[in-house]
Amino acid sequence: MTTPLAEVLDGQHAADLRKAARALLKQPLLLARGRYADEFRLVRRHAPELREWFDRNTGWSLQVDAETARLRKIPGVLTDPTHPAREASRGTAPFTRRRYVLLCLALAALERGEAQIALGRLADQIVLDAADPRLTATGIEFALERRDERLDLAAVVRLLLDLGVLRRVAGEEESYVSGAGDVLYDVERRVLAGLLASRRGPSTVHAETLDDRLAELVAETALDSDELRFRAMRRSLTRRLLDDPVLYYDDLTDAELGYLTRQRGFLTARITELTGLVAEVRAEGIAMVDPDDDLTDLRMPEQGTHGHVTLLLAEHLAGADGPVTLDMLALRVRELAAQHGGFWSKSAREPGMETELVEQAVARLTALGLVSRAPHAVAARPALARYAVGETVIREPGSAPVPPQRKATS
């Protein structure tokens, strides 16, 4: 029997809508040109449905025009520092405090500037703005007198190039850093205007502490009724299920946990319907798992020295009885180097490198929700149990297989 045309069209529509939603979750800023042009066209075609879904379930606004599609994502946890900005074309080092300040100053200068700008001109404006007494009082200095300052500015510019705020017309950043030349850019004002994701302008926020300022930037309307409070919880929980590797129950308030307990099936079904993510529900929490394994910005590494060290430390922490100090982890890496050093890079085997290897591994495990970190110690979280190695069981030939045992979250 042939499938009715209406059913075929409905299936294609659902598949395209899912692809568009996944594209926005993976790349919240899509441009009509460049490597995401196909995804942009798909998002633009399904913009009304996507806009309604994200607004109702997450509180994220979606703005789509002829050139850009911008999903203004607000994180479920405002104080999570584990997913920093990183320079697009070099290494994986996270942005420092100074680079974040330079990024904000660069955006302000570009907003006031013309349709084209040279890197030297942008740098001069940033130097002037950085001399503001309110900035210097916080310890931020930027005078372009050292190479590391030029490198920081180049890193900021490369991020803006990757985001589509700037388009390189002539020159290279390396020439500017070495003092041998300048670079000319086109400024994409439409992309620049949509870059900020907040519910109010930062200049209108006057709170004293960083946490309070972040909260005010994304604060919703006054939650003065049960309906509004339930809506806020639904949005917050859906944001965390979509964005966070694992949603642990013990991270929730009593009200949030009660709401999630009652509405878990509804929330996860809505996410699965739109995105294809599948809920893995355990005794300690929920993880929305991607069967296609591409809807993530961070994975558990599998190759190279850093990947090997991370996996070995994950196994070690999963089998620990409690928190493990960073010094003990460094000692463990030295022991592992004696066992596996032949497979590691030469630099990783040098004395003192164990501290850096531990830092990189712990940072990744923390970002994946597998461990929690204190100033000088690390503790395993329930999801890390999947990396635990159980005791070896020796069976006699012909005996029944032993069911797999897992110290896990069921």
Side-chain angles (χ1 to χ4, degrees), residues 378-393:
V378 179
R381 303 210 72 180
L384 190 67
R386 65 184 59 205
Y387 295 96
V389 177
E391 297 181 4
T392 302
V393 178

Side-chain angles (χ1 to χ4, degrees), residues 24-208:
L24 281 172
L25 291 172
K26 191 173 183 179
Q27 193 73 20
L29 176 59
L30 296 170
L31 306 183
R33 52 175 174 74
R35 63 184 184 274
Y36 296 111
D38 291 341
E39 288 82 354
F40 167 80
R41 286 191 288 270
L42 204 57
V43 167
R44 192 178 184 194
R45 188 184 312 154
H46 296 281
E49 292 171 272
L50 292 168
R51 187 179 293 111
E52 191 279 333
W53 194 97
F54 282 116
D55 178 67
R56 175 177 174 77
N57 293 283
T58 65
W60 296 338
S61 64
L62 173 63
Q63 180 179 352
V64 181
D65 56 38
E67 298 179 16
T68 63
R70 177 67 164 121
L71 180 63
R72 289 187 168 89
K73 295 176 66 177
I74 296 170
V77 179
L78 299 178
T79 56
D80 180 7
T82 60
H83 296 270
R86 299 178 186 274
E87 186 178 349
S89 59
R90 291 173 179 263
T92 58
F95 264 36
T96 60
R97 179 170 177 256
R98 184 169 68 181
R99 286 188 179 185
Y100 279 119
V101 172
L102 291 180
L103 174 60
C104 294
L105 294 177
L107 291 173
L110 292 172
E111 180 66 29
R112 300 191 303 267
E114 303 296 331
Q116 279 194 333
I117 192 167
L119 180 51
R121 171 67 175 167
L122 177 62
D124 291 341
Q125 186 60 56
I126 291 175
V127 169
L128 289 174
D129 293 341
D132 188 305
R134 290 169 295 181
L135 273 181
T136 57
T138 67
I140 295 294
E141 297 180 358
F142 186 72
L144 279 182
E145 296 175 349
R146 304 189 308 271
R147 178 179 172 83
D148 65 295
E149 292 180 311
R150 294 193 296 274
L151 285 171
D152 282 343
L153 180 58
V156 167
V157 167
R158 290 192 182 100
L159 177 62
L160 294 175
L161 285 166
D162 186 62
L163 291 171
V165 175
L166 297 177
R167 274 201 296 172
R168 190 186 295 111
V169 177
E172 293 291 338
E173 288 77 33
E174 287 82 359
S175 298
Y176 175 81
V177 171
S178 62
D182 209 340
V183 196
L184 180 65
Y185 305 102
D186 284 336
V187 180
E188 299 295 335
R189 308 201 68 81
R190 194 179 295 268
V191 181
L192 174 63
L195 200 60
L196 187 63
S198 66
R199 292 195 174 97
R200 56 185 294 185
S203 61
T204 67
V205 173
H206 304 291
E208 294 295 328

